Amino acid sequence: MKTGAQILIESLKDEGTDIIFGYPGGSVLPIYDVLYDSGIKHILVRHEQAAVHAADGYARASGKTGVCLATSGPGACNLISGIATANMDSVPVIALTGQVPTGMLGNDAFQESDITGITMPVTKHNYLVNDAGNIRRIVREAFFIAGTGRKGPVLIDLPKDVQTGQVDESENLKTEINLRGYKPTFRGHPKQIKSAIKLIAEAKRPIVYAGGGVIASDSSAELIQLAEMLDLPVTTTMMGLGAIPAHHPLNLGMLGMHGTEAANYAVTECDLLIAVGARFDDRVTGKIELFAPNAKVIHIDVDPAEIGKNKAVDVPIVGDAGEVLREMINLSETLDIKKKDPWLVKIENWRENHMMKYRDDKELHPQYIIEQLSGILEGEGIIVSEVGQNQMWAAQYYGFKSPRQWISSGGLGTMGYGFPAAIGAQFAKPDETVVLIAGDGSFQMNIQELGTVSQYNVPVKILILNNMYLGMVRQWQELFYERRYSYTELPQVDFVGIAAAYGIPGLKVEDKDDVEAALKKAMETDGPFLIDFRIEREENVFPMVPAGAAISDMIGCHIPDKEEAKR
């Protein structure tokens, strides 16, 4: 006989789980008792929200499924922002929650919450387990659902009497997965793929628009191969950064609200848009009617619900990005598709004449810090950001070389995500340098995780771009609300002193000339390190597309001088 908790832990191990991020409580005590000597590593975070973000960061860095665990009621509810974050960015996470005994469900018992009802809109699927005999099957299904098709979070709610329930399970049964109504499509339709290649052959101004689906499907190599074969310029969403190296000659950088001018101009003038694993998010498209207004559209996505949702499509292809791109490569090899030389020349001119720039003076600018970091790490390492200006500067100025190097909350834009996600990424990749880039506002949303970093000596390097503002909101107030800084100014905080209280070394940097030495010291220090950069307070993220405008209608653009424009 085995208890439900024993079957749960065995099932997690069967799925390859070697680490859980969690926070114990009364309703999960049976699980914690089995977990104690199970061989699965458990990381005790300081807040349940950090548990789910850490599991998310672990999943994004490793390509595996992350697991988090919380007790019932407030513990489970504290997971919701993180579950929603994973859902918006299609990240495979299993959230395990305790629940009051089945006989008390619906009675408003102590620490009861209807977590399956609450999370229904923000999970790919969820389960309320009512019989310990179902746990093994449910765990198998949950991992399958989370990690296939369009990936996402799955929640398993476990009443306490189910955890302690006895099951006569004489052998470790492997149950077959057969889910009616869930049959993801992996291979694209051959006829549609042939139509896509025909459009590429006919196009004079094609461009690839690659999103996070390329990262999730581990198909960066195929994307680069197809782009190089057909000389296709590539722009990526923020979630697609790293799908093609930053300095690849066909890479135009990020598009959208804070994208490069070259990418936004190219999308606006293209005659064929090849969207791969992207969802035409409003921060990317701006005014949708003016997004690639003269282009035919090929849309490749594993989720059929995304195709045609925001933008009419000429050739829809439902399938895994890697599978579809491989078929496109095979078909292209049999054809003689001419290069688009005039288009490539025009794009190169945009790129040369509209480079990302910021003021080069004696002040401490955040873009300079990111550039220095990128140089010191030579574009390697794992960069995790919070949300806001810090996120955009990191996305714009770090030279990512490969996929899964860039971890950030895209769709939901969750402040407080970055720090715990960096912890999770570091556990996933213990030999990599993991750097958190944060603002002073967002860092304070989960600052308590300094305790987790200290307890486990997690060697995360914490860089705070401190402007004593909720910077992105302040920027919008400056540009669109006549500089009325309504409740966005923050008081000064001694972050170095707080880190020291947890036994974490740190530095405060106020001078541009001290940036390189401080970064090198952080990288050379064993264990965690914090740098509090006191940056120019009213620095803005440019270029910027105002909300609702066309992406070619940017403000804060670099205007080439006459000599540049002649080239």
Side-chain angles (χ1 to χ4, degrees):
M1 300 289 282
K2 293 177 181 174
T3 67
Q6 288 174 317
I7 295 171
L8 173 69
I9 297 300
E10 283 181 9
S11 301
L12 292 173
K13 293 172 78 170
D14 288 345
E15 297 298 329
T17 301
D18 55 8
I19 188 168
I20 294 175
F21 302 89
Y23 200 99
S27 291
V28 285
L29 282 175
I31 297 173
Y32 268 88
D33 188 58
V34 179
L35 186 61
Y36 183 65
D37 51 6
S38 67
I40 295 177
K41 181 183 289 186
H42 177 272
I43 304 303
L44 176 62
V45 295
R46 299 302 186 266
H47 190 288
E48 290 90 350
Q49 185 183 355
V52 62
H53 288 326
D56 176 311
Y58 175 89
R60 298 195 205 209
S62 67
K64 301 178 184 175
T65 297
V67 181
C68 62
L69 171 59
T71 192
S72 63
C77 290
N78 282 338
L79 297 179
I80 293 170
S81 293
I83 291 173
T85 301
N87 191 54
M88 287 288 279
D89 290 346
S90 308
V91 180
V93 168
I94 302 295
L96 304 168
T97 51
Q99 183 56 277
V100 300
T102 52
M104 301 174 72
L105 286 170
N107 289 347
D108 293 334
F110 177 66
Q111 293 194 331
E112 180 188 3
S113 64
D114 176 14
I115 196 63
T116 51
I118 293 170
T119 60
M120 188 174 290
V122 293
T123 50
K124 190 172 176 183
H125 193 60
N126 65 28
Y127 295 89
L128 171 59
V129 187
N130 56 17
D131 188 325
N134 293 334
I135 290 177
R136 194 176 299 279
R137 171 183 59 79
I138 286 173
V139 170
R140 285 209 72 203
E141 289 179 0
F143 272 82
F144 179 72
I145 292 169
T148 57
R150 179 174 182 170
K151 298 171 184 176
V154 176
L155 182 139
I156 305 175
D157 196 26
L158 296 139
K160 195 167 183 179
D161 60 320
V162 172
Q163 299 170 39
T164 56
Q166 299 284 316
V167 178
D168 182 7
E169 197 180 57
S170 56
E171 59 184 27
N172 188 350
L173 297 173
K174 282 278 185 183
T175 55
E176 293 298 320
I177 296 174
N178 183 19
L179 295 169
R180 293 173 64 187
Y182 181 69
K183 308 288 181 189
T185 299
F186 297 104
R187 297 198 63 181
H189 195 289
K191 186 177 176 183
Q192 296 297 86
I193 292 173
K194 194 174 289 185
S195 297
I197 293 297
K198 184 171 182 290
L199 281 186
I200 294 173
E202 293 171 352
K204 291 182 169 54
R205 302 184 304 280
I207 186 168
V208 176
Y209 152 44
V214 175
I215 309 290
S217 65
D218 293 315
S219 54
S220 297
E222 289 84 354
L223 176 77
I224 295 167
Q225 185 178 351
L226 184 71
E228 290 178 344
M229 281 178 64
L230 304 179
D231 272 327
L232 299 172
V234 178
T235 179
T236 69
T237 66
M238 189 187 76
M239 302 308 296
L241 289 171
I244 180 170
H247 300 297
H248 191 289
L250 289 171
N251 187 3
L252 297 179
M254 185 173 73
L255 80 166
M257 180 171 280
H258 294 293
T260 67
E261 295 169 55
N264 285 351
Y265 289 144
V267 168
T268 302
E269 291 202 15
C270 73
D271 66 355
L272 177 65
L273 186 72
I274 307 158
V276 187
R279 59 187 180 90
F280 294 85
D281 170 69
D282 61 294
R283 287 294 173 105
V284 164
T285 65
K287 189 174 185 178
I288 190 72
E289 296 84 358
L290 298 178
F291 183 72
N294 302 311
K296 292 189 174 180
V297 177
I298 299 167
H299 192 175
I300 302 164
D301 204 290
V302 74
D303 183 358
E306 284 297 338
I307 296 179
K309 186 176 77 175
N310 295 327
K311 177 81 174 173
V313 173
D314 296 280
V315 179
I317 304 177
V318 178
D320 174 80
E323 293 277 352
V324 174
L325 290 172
R326 279 190 288 277
E327 291 297 322
M328 292 176 74
I329 290 166
N330 292 337
L331 193 55
S332 299
E333 286 175 338
T334 65
L335 302 172
D336 179 23
I337 299 177
K338 294 180 180 177
K339 293 184 177 181
K340 328 288 184 183
D341 287 339
W343 176 233
L344 294 175
V345 169
K346 189 168 190 177
I347 282 179
E348 189 56 32
N349 283 337
W350 277 325
R351 195 154 54 179
E352 285 188 7
N353 291 327
H354 298 272
M355 297 176 70
M356 302 286 282
K357 283 192 175 180
Y358 59 92
R359 280 179 294 143
D360 183 14
D361 54 25
K362 292 184 179 301
E363 303 300 326
L364 181 51
H365 297 288
Q367 302 94 327
Y368 175 79
I369 297 167
I370 305 298
E371 282 186 335
Q372 290 296 305
L373 175 69
S374 186
I376 289 170
L377 295 182
E378 298 179 342
E380 305 285 353
I382 296 175
I383 307 301
V384 187
S385 85
E386 289 287 353
V387 167
Q389 288 182 312
N390 64 87
Q391 178 185 38
M392 291 303 144
W393 287 319
Q396 289 177 331
Y397 285 91
Y398 197 87
F400 298 100
K401 286 184 173 177
S402 54
R404 301 196 183 280
Q405 266 193 283
W406 166 243
I407 294 175
S408 191
S409 171
L412 200 64
T414 309
M415 289 176 68
Y417 166 85
F419 189 23
I423 295 171
Q426 188 73 80
F427 278 106
K429 296 287 182 181
D431 297 328
E432 292 278 356
T433 299
V434 176
V435 179
L436 169 70
I437 296 173
D440 50 315
S442 53
F443 185 65
Q444 291 184 77
M445 282 202 168
N446 268 314
I447 193 172
Q448 78 284 343
E449 296 310 315
L450 285 168
T452 307
V453 165
S454 176
Q455 179 179 350
Y456 297 97
N457 194 32
V458 185
V460 172
K461 314 305 177 189
I462 303 161
L463 311 185
I464 302 173
L465 306 179
N466 185 354
N467 53 14
M468 296 171 60
Y469 278 118
L470 298 175
M472 187 60 88
V473 184
R474 184 213 57 77
Q475 177 173 333
W476 282 56
Q477 289 174 333
E478 176 189 336
L479 298 176
F480 308 118
Y481 292 88
E482 300 176 340
R483 298 177 74 95
R484 288 164 53 84
Y485 294 163
S486 179
Y487 304 107
T488 45
E489 187 165 13
L490 297 172
Q492 192 56 271
V493 174
D494 180 7
F495 289 111
V496 175
I498 293 172
Y502 284 97
I504 297 170
L507 282 174
K508 182 169 71 175
V509 174
E510 298 177 287
D511 195 312
K512 178 181 179 182
D513 293 336
D514 297 331
V515 169
E516 183 178 359
L519 288 171
K520 285 182 176 176
K521 183 173 178 59
M523 302 307 149
E524 290 165 2
T525 300
D526 290 335
F529 198 93
L530 181 146
I531 306 178
D532 178 7
F533 288 106
R534 303 297 175 94
I535 63 170
E536 176 75 3
R537 293 198 68 200
E538 296 190 73
E539 186 74 58
N540 286 330
V541 181
F542 287 132
M544 178 180 186
V545 178
I551 62 168
S552 58
D553 188 12
M554 294 169 274
I555 59 176
C557 291
H558 165 61
I559 300 172
D561 60 32
K562 291 181 180 178
E563 290 304 313
E564 288 177 320
K566 287 178 183 175
R567 293 201 297 267

